[in-house]
Amino acid sequence: MSTTLPPESAAAEETQPNAGETTSHRALALLAQHRLVTSPQLHQMLSPGKARSRTATVLNQLRDDKLIAYTHVPFSGRLRAWFLTSRGARITAGWPELRGHSVLTPDSATDASLRSGHTLTAVRTHLTFLRDAQERGDEYGPLDWVPEVSHRLPDTGGEDKLIADSVMHYTVSSPRRLQYRAFVEVDRATMSSERLARKLISYARFHDYVPQPVGRRGTVADQGAMLAWQRFYPRFPRVLFVLTNASPVSLENRIEDLRAMTSGHQLVSRLAGKVALGAAVLEDLEAHGASAPVWTPLSGPDERRSWTEL
């Protein structure tokens, strides 16, 4: 027997809200997460393969609503890089897809311009994984790259925090489903090679860190305490270095310095026995794909391979 819905029930069924987000919503979420993104980068994340005019229309409307603003990227021919205004940050704070992440905004267009070098290179790195995932049919979206993730380090007289340039969440779909997490460090050769390699010590310290309850240090119970990283990750993420902005010889030397730190430092050597560590040149990721065999392991034989096979 068929059942006829009463008129008010039929009307309610027809007016159920769409579960998807608008392009404007996604653009604001992306800017809240990545903080500074150029027009072409936003288009690749919002509407790849479609007319760029569609993305431009959305951005101009959000700017008219005073939710976003832009600065010109230095030495780029007036390329625009977009960021949230304080009003845009207030609106996006607390959105489900951004929960647990701080929504930070530049103080001004000048501040945004000064930050653009590293921030936009990090987004550029993210896009190599995004393109690769789209071609391979893997699960990796524009918000699966989380910038500037901070973790406490043990109080040993050194740095008290590990700040990863990003944490990447990536799921390989075939030939079998595998979930990966990675800390990604983006190096533009603006710091010494030794200082870059020392970042490995910070990761090794974080790997071994067991927070001590106040007033109970050294007790037997502490020996079974949870490692700090286990509060955030099911497995310790692999550590990937992406290098750019120097000559090929200089980039190779910096990778060799990372390998030397891995073999020569006791804490880092122990980390390498448990966690995959690798380095690659950004231009190689862009030319061949992020999953191509362009990654040099930081321990063992230096034969290049995919980042998932380190």
Side-chain angles (χ1 to χ4, degrees):
M1 176 183 292
S2 63
T3 302
T4 303
L5 291 172
E8 63 273 17
S9 297
E13 199 170 80
E14 291 173 1
T15 58
Q16 288 299 316
N18 191 325
E21 292 87 14
T22 65
T23 305
S24 295
H25 179 106
R26 288 187 289 123
L28 289 172
L30 288 171
L31 290 174
Q33 178 124 316
H34 299 292
R35 301 178 184 176
L36 188 69
V37 189
T38 67
S39 300
Q41 288 174 336
L42 271 169
H43 179 72
Q44 184 173 338
M45 288 190 274
L46 287 170
S47 305
K50 298 180 181 177
R52 288 194 177 185
S53 58
R54 298 176 59 172
T55 301
T57 298
V58 169
L59 295 176
N60 288 330
Q61 182 60 59
L62 292 173
R63 184 189 60 178
D64 291 344
D65 292 338
K66 296 183 170 38
L67 297 174
I68 65 174
Y70 68 82
T71 187
H72 289 115
V73 180
F75 313 112
S76 67
R78 299 186 68 76
L79 175 66
R80 293 180 178 183
W82 299 86
F83 57 93
L84 291 183
T85 62
S86 57
R87 181 168 183 245
R90 286 195 302 273
I91 286 176
T92 56
W95 282 7
E97 61 268 51
L98 301 170
R99 195 166 292 144
H101 306 310
S102 302
V103 179
L104 303 176
T105 62
D107 293 333
S108 63
T110 301
D111 181 31
S113 179
L114 292 173
R115 294 169 182 261
S116 63
H118 184 81
T119 305
L120 296 179
T121 304
V123 177
R124 184 179 155 197
T125 303
H126 164 48
L127 292 178
T128 66
F129 288 95
L130 189 61
R131 281 192 298 268
D132 203 57
Q134 290 167 348
E135 292 174 2
R136 292 167 52 88
D138 291 338
E139 294 180 20
Y140 180 71
L143 294 176
D144 288 332
W145 174 279
V146 185
E148 296 184 21
V149 176
S150 176
H151 292 296
R152 277 187 57 198
L153 290 177
D155 182 10
T156 58
E159 294 177 325
D160 63 352
K161 285 183 181 178
L162 165 69
I163 303 178
D165 284 341
S166 76
V167 173
M168 181 176 68
H169 303 263
Y170 192 106
T171 300
V172 171
S173 299
S174 177
R176 63 192 182 98
R177 185 176 176 83
L178 294 170
Q179 293 182 327
Y180 293 91
R181 288 172 181 82
F183 293 115
V184 184
E185 292 294 326
V186 177
D187 172 53
R188 297 186 302 120
T190 55
M191 66 175 72
S192 71
S193 185
E194 178 188 359
R195 200 172 144 208
L196 173 68
R198 282 209 312 267
K199 196 75 184 262
L200 283 165
I201 302 175
S202 296
Y203 281 108
R205 290 173 62 205
F206 180 51
H207 181 269
D208 291 349
Y209 177 34
V210 179
Q212 298 292 334
V214 176
R216 293 182 56 196
R217 294 175 182 242
T219 66
V220 174
D222 292 342
Q223 296 176 9
M226 180 180 289
L227 291 163
W229 64 263
Q230 291 175 325
R231 301 181 180 186
F232 305 96
Y233 311 104
R235 295 182 63 186
F236 195 88
R238 57 195 56 213
V239 183
L240 305 177
F241 289 81
V242 178
L243 295 78
T244 189
N245 199 44
S247 70
V249 171
S250 178
L251 294 176
E252 284 300 318
N253 287 340
R254 292 172 82 82
I255 292 175
E256 283 305 309
D257 290 342
L258 289 168
R259 284 177 54 82
M261 176 65 79
T262 304
S263 62
H265 193 285
Q266 183 179 1
L267 280 180
V268 182
S269 294
R270 190 162 68 231
L271 174 70
K274 301 176 181 178
V275 177
L277 312 174
V281 174
L282 177 53
E283 286 75 11
D284 288 341
L285 304 186
E286 292 176 325
H288 306 290
S291 63
V294 295
W295 295 86
T296 300
L298 298 187
S299 63
D302 62 358
E303 180 182 354
R304 293 185 179 186
R305 61 197 72 178
S306 171
W307 70 272
T308 59
E309 298 172 347
L310 290 168

